[in-house]
């Protein structure tokens, strides 16, 4: 059976393509999820895509992934900068974790420069737009294969 990669998107990313196109582009969350599913399929994997505005729901999905997934690609959005709880949940995972940011958080406000999640992530992709999800899945596939 194909390895499953959870693609988790955090708060407000359901608004992708509807506001602030100058920062986040014009593609919607549905477009991003379709890109992830087709990329994963090309790599012989299955992408299970979910978005939540609730910290506890993201944590529940990370814990669920420990039983069912081979890797996580996560854009924790604003929780990147605030959530020790999401970091703790990811620290309990033994598989590859790739962090994605659509924008280059280091080029933006000071408070976006630090991400708790980055201290656990095996790789961090920022500033590549939604193509970052494709890059993250490609890297996740090579880590899952032991590369
Ligand atoms: O660049 C990213 O992907 C971010 O994770 C996006 C977060 C932000 O808090 C991080 O610092 C960087 C914000 C997601 C909100 O997305 C929106 C998209 C369209 C319109 C409004 C918000």
């Amino acid at each position: 059976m194909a390895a499953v990669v959870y693609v988790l998107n955090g708060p407000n990313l359901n608004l992708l393509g509807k506001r602030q196109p100058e920062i986040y582009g014009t593609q919607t969350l549905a477009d991003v999820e379709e890109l992830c599913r087709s990329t994963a399929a090309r790599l012989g994997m299955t992408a299970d895509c979910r978005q939540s505005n609730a910290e506890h729901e993201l944590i529940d999905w990370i814990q669920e992934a420990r039983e069912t997934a081979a890797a996580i690609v996560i854009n924790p959005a604003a929780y990147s900068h605030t959530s020790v709880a999401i970091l703790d949940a990811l620290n309990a995972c033994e598989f590859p974790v790739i962090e994605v940011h659509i924008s280059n958080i280091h080029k933006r406000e000071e408070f976006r420069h630090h991400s708790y999640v980055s201290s656990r992530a095996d790789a961090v992709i920022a500033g590549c737009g939604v193509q970052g999800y494709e890059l993250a899945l490609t890297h996740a596939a090579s880590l899952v294969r032991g590369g």
Side-chain angles (χ1 to χ4, degrees), residues 91-137:
N91 274 335
C93 299
E94 283 168 12
F95 47 61
V97 173
I98 317 292
E99 178 181 359
V100 176
H101 297 284
I102 296 167
S103 64
N104 180 357
I105 54 175
H106 301 289
K107 219 175 156 183
R108 301 183 63 192
E109 304 95 321
E110 187 89 32
F111 66 84
R112 296 187 200 274
H113 295 183
H114 175 262
S115 164
Y116 285 99
V117 169
S118 297
S119 65
R120 164 61 184 88
D122 297 290
V124 181
I125 297 164
C128 297
V130 299
Q131 194 195 5
Y133 290 89
E134 201 177 339
L135 300 171
L137 283 161

Side-chain angles (χ1 to χ4, degrees), residues 11-13 15-16 19-20 24 75 77-78 81 101-103 105 108 112:
N12 298 307
L13 286 163
L15 298 176
L16 272 181
R19 299 263 189 289
Q20 296 183 268
Y24 300 114
N75 183 345
H81 318 301
H101 297 284
I102 296 167
S103 64
I105 54 175
R108 301 183 63 192
R112 296 187 200 274

Side-chain angles (χ1 to χ4, degrees), residues 11-107:
N12 298 307
L13 286 163
N14 53 309
L15 298 176
L16 272 181
K18 297 176 181 164
R19 299 263 189 289
Q20 296 183 268
E22 66 287 358
I23 301 176
Y24 300 114
T26 54
Q27 288 186 275
T28 64
L29 180 64
D31 295 333
V32 170
E33 292 186 340
E34 187 44 43
L35 171 69
C36 290
R37 281 190 285 268
S38 61
T39 302
R42 180 166 48 77
L43 294 163
M45 305 190 302
T46 302
D48 185 330
C49 302
R50 305 173 189 196
Q51 186 275 333
S52 181
N53 294 325
E55 189 175 24
H56 71 89
E57 193 157 38
L58 293 163
I59 291 165
D60 287 347
W61 289 339
I62 293 165
Q63 291 188 10
E64 179 189 303
R66 296 172 70 234
E67 313 298 327
T68 56
I72 287 182
V73 169
I74 184 166
N75 183 345
Y79 289 141
S80 317
H81 318 301
T82 63
S83 181
V84 175
I86 289 178
L87 171 62
D88 285 346
L90 290 169
N91 274 335
C93 299
E94 283 168 12
F95 47 61
V97 173
I98 317 292
E99 178 181 359
V100 176
H101 297 284
I102 296 167
S103 64
N104 180 357
I105 54 175
H106 301 289
K107 219 175 156 183

